[in-house]
Amino acid sequence: MPTDESTTLNRSPASADTADSLAIICGGGSFPAAVVEVAIQRGRRVVLFALKGWADSGLVKQHPHHWIAIGQLGRFLRLAKAAHCRDVVIIGTLLRPPLRHVRLDWRTFRLLPRLAQAFRGGDDRLLSAVVGMIEEGGLRVIGVEEVAPEIVVPEGVLGRHQPSPRDRADIDRALSLIAALGPFDVGQAVVVADNNVLAVEAAEGTDAMLARITEMRGKGRVSTPSRVGVLVKAPKHGQDRRVDLPAIGRQTVENVARAGLAGLAVAAGAAIIAEAAAVTAAADQAGIFLVGVREESRP
Amino acid sequence: MPTDESTTLNRSPASADTADSLAIICGGGSFPAAVVEVAIQRGRRVVLFALKGWADSGLVKQHPHHWIAIGQLGRFLRLAKAAHCRDVVIIGTLLRPPLRHVRLDWRTFRLLPRLAQAFRGGDDRLLSAVVGMIEEGGLRVIGVEEVAPEIVVPEGVLGRHQPSPRDRADIDRALSLIAALGPFDVGQAVVVADNNVLAVEAAEGTDAMLARITEMRGKGRVSTPSRVGVLVKAPKHGQDRRVDLPAIGRQTVENVARAGLAGLAVAAGAAIIAEAAAVTAAADQAGIFLVGVREESRP
């Protein structure tokens, strides 16, 4: 269970003299680097726990770090405590790893029945179970918005292009659909074009889903004209927001443009963006909008 | 509005001496041929209304027929009445057609505002609107199960292989998910493997969705072992069951096997199967189950 002590984060760099370090469990992709950078700028001492098979070794070697395999919960807890970590943030691609990257230590082994149960519930429940196990081990798992609010998408239009009233209606429909999918632990992203649902993301990931739109458009199976339709990404209802927030980056913007959509909308405060300035510039140049929306607009 | 006269169908061939013919609006794929064949076996006189761009000319030319374009509602009603048709069945692939195949006659033109409104509601609402317009024109649109019950999937296991209790649990979860998607006019098909939702079908079609599973499996992104998981197809809740029933055929079975799933389940009484014997044999040979399930098992 989470301990209820008040956060020591969001402090200015000048006050960064507490003894505890921040453990950053690093998955794949570019988000771990962004979080590490911001945490250090904010005066946090960091220790990276790099997931074998996922984390970027170029980033990892620049900072105090340990490599850990998926399945080494006991090792992680021991090393994190030895490094005086109290808070943990989990960031980066955490797709279910190939089995060859899994190493089970005894602590994890004893927890396997619980993990197996959680595994059957989908990614969301699996990650929640892992968070619970880390906290039972005496650490506190915090959300990325506590450590690096700079990479969390704010509310409002980020670039030059504005969503039209039709785009706004498509966004609302998409948010409702994501909400309806919540109990099934599926679908952080959907594409809606002029009220028609073109695609629902499950295990394939956002880029593959957008490639599908591009392909269907090429075959004449998308009847809405170009520059109509939105990609919407939002966390599932009931999702533990300390892990696996929806993420967007330059590639998302490029794929949205290629799919002939009008723009993309993400849940404000509950989605992360890598290199916001570059992504916004890319959206401007591609002629698509990029907006952070309140999930409360869900009907 | 539907007229409330009692059906003249399901009669034996011997009684097929009534004056009215059955209008069969033929889309693409192999289902129109199956329906035409069964209807004739059952003693029905048929007139085919072949949709340009979709219907199979090889089938069409064997029977009394007219070619019509999407958008020629007035022409269809005039020709159907001239041919003494009272009942209409709509069968075959009815994907949104390329615009070049659309021809608007005056009746359709006057109905465009209503069609445009329905169009924005998704395929389901669009087809319902078309059904309504045909009935306002004085014909009665009937379901395929009235004309050709032989091609409707019955309840129970069709082949040699049985779904396991885990498969049954996956089927239930999939049916619940399809039910949750109902209000969004999306998703007649989903893939669930050991309680995880791997894919949700939207505009891409079932074959493309299954190809995605195969591809993800190749990339190691599907963590459930081979021969775990089911494809489930069922009509959306609230869908007009006189049009666009979920359909399966040989290719579905082959794609399910290729995707490494354990089998496929479809809504009994509300899904159609082309060449049931051949499809069942293909499932047996591929080692997958094929089952018609009651939607009432939806929680």
Side-chain angles (χ1 to χ4, degrees), chain B residues 68-91:
Chain B
I68 53 171
I70 304 272
Q72 295 184 319
L73 178 64
R75 176 175 147 85
F76 164 69
L77 291 171
R78 198 169 58 245
L79 291 169
K81 285 173 192 166
H84 303 288
C85 297
R86 199 172 50 172
D87 293 343
V88 184
V89 66
I90 304 173
I91 184 72

Side-chain angles (χ1 to χ4, degrees), chain A:
Chain A
M1 295 297 296
T3 57
D4 199 34
E5 54 200 339
S6 65
T7 175
T8 57
L9 300 175
N10 282 324
R11 62 194 167 191
S12 69
S15 68
D17 47 16
T18 54
D20 63 305
S21 293
L22 174 66
I24 304 181
I25 298 181
C26 300
S30 57
F31 283 98
V35 170
V36 168
E37 185 188 356
V38 173
I40 291 172
Q41 275 169 8
R42 290 179 160 249
R44 230 31 233 253
R45 263 195 298 250
V46 302
V47 182
L48 275 54
F49 291 87
L51 289 172
K52 282 179 196 166
W54 293 112
D56 171 17
S57 60
L59 164 71
V60 170
K61 66 185 178 196
Q62 297 171 37
H63 304 280
H65 70 273
H66 299 285
W67 284 95
I68 54 171
I70 304 272
Q72 295 184 319
L73 178 63
R75 176 175 146 86
F76 164 68
L77 291 171
R78 198 170 59 244
L79 290 170
K81 285 173 191 167
H84 303 288
C85 297
R86 199 173 51 172
D87 293 343
V88 184
V89 65
I90 304 172
I91 183 73
T93 317
L94 288 168
L95 293 173
R96 290 169 178 218
L99 279 178
R100 67 190 155 84
H101 287 308
V102 175
R103 299 283 177 278
L104 292 179
D105 63 18
W106 278 107
R107 187 175 186 115
T108 313
F109 189 79
R110 283 195 305 272
L111 292 168
L112 272 186
R114 244 172 85 194
L115 283 168
Q117 188 59 36
F119 188 82
R120 298 199 56 227
D123 289 322
D124 191 24
R125 231 176 292 174
L126 181 63
L127 286 166
S128 292
V130 171
V131 165
M133 289 167 186
I134 291 174
E135 300 212 309
E136 284 166 26
L139 298 171
R140 189 172 75 111
V141 178
I142 58 179
V144 70
E145 77 286 356
E146 264 191 68
V147 179
E150 290 88 337
I151 69 163
V152 176
V153 177
E155 191 180 343
V157 173
L158 269 82
R160 208 169 58 209
H161 302 284
Q162 303 285 328
S164 70
R166 178 169 59 191
D167 297 329
R168 291 280 183 188
D170 285 344
I171 292 167
D172 284 346
R173 187 161 170 89
L175 289 172
S176 303
L177 176 50
I178 291 172
L181 290 168
F184 300 95
D185 196 6
V186 63
Q188 287 191 319
V190 300
V191 174
V192 177
D194 200 16
N195 212 38
N196 289 294
V197 180
L198 295 186
V200 177
E201 179 184 331
E204 73 274 24
T206 306
D207 290 329
M209 180 182 65
L210 289 170
R212 187 154 88 234
I213 306 286
T214 308
E215 197 189 322
M216 285 193 284
R217 202 181 279 285
K219 289 179 183 164
R221 288 192 65 168
V222 173
S223 50
T224 41
S226 190
R227 298 289 167 238
V228 172
V230 294
L231 165 69
V232 178
K233 294 192 80 168
K236 292 159 271 192
H237 272 200
Q239 178 178 333
D240 187 328
R241 301 199 169 189
R242 290 170 297 175
V243 284
D244 196 27
L245 286 181
I248 58 167
R250 249 188 113 103
Q251 198 177 355
T252 321
V253 163
E254 283 160 14
N255 289 340
V256 164
R258 196 172 297 128
L261 303 177
L264 74 156
V266 294
I272 53 178
I273 182 168
E275 304 167 283
V279 174
T280 305
D284 284 348
Q285 200 179 349
I288 66 173
F289 69 80
L290 171 55
V291 60
V293 292
R294 295 166 70 87
E295 292 165 87
E296 288 74 36
S297 71
R298 291 178 184 186

Side-chain angles (χ1 to χ4, degrees), chain B residues 160-205:
Chain B
R160 209 169 58 210
H161 302 283
Q162 303 285 327
S164 69
R166 177 170 59 192
D167 297 329
R168 291 280 183 188
D170 285 343
I171 291 167
D172 284 346
R173 189 164 169 88
L175 289 172
S176 303
L177 176 49
I178 291 172
L181 289 169
F184 300 95
D185 195 6
V186 64
Q188 288 191 320
V190 300
V191 174
V192 177
D194 199 16
N195 212 38
N196 289 293
V197 180
L198 295 185
V200 177
E201 179 184 330
E204 72 274 25

Side-chain angles (χ1 to χ4, degrees), chain B residues 204-245:
Chain B
E204 72 274 25
T206 306
D207 290 329
M209 180 182 64
L210 289 170
R212 186 153 90 234
I213 306 285
T214 308
E215 197 189 322
M216 285 193 283
R217 204 182 277 286
K219 289 180 183 164
R221 289 192 64 169
V222 174
S223 51
T224 42
S226 191
R227 297 288 166 242
V228 172
V230 295
L231 166 69
V232 178
K233 294 193 79 167
K236 292 160 270 192
H237 273 200
Q239 178 178 333
D240 188 327
R241 300 198 170 191
R242 291 171 296 176
V243 284
D244 196 29
L245 287 182

Side-chain angles (χ1 to χ4, degrees), chain B residues 128-141:
Chain B
S128 292
V130 171
V131 165
M133 288 166 186
I134 291 173
E135 300 212 308
E136 284 166 27
L139 299 172
R140 190 172 74 113
V141 179

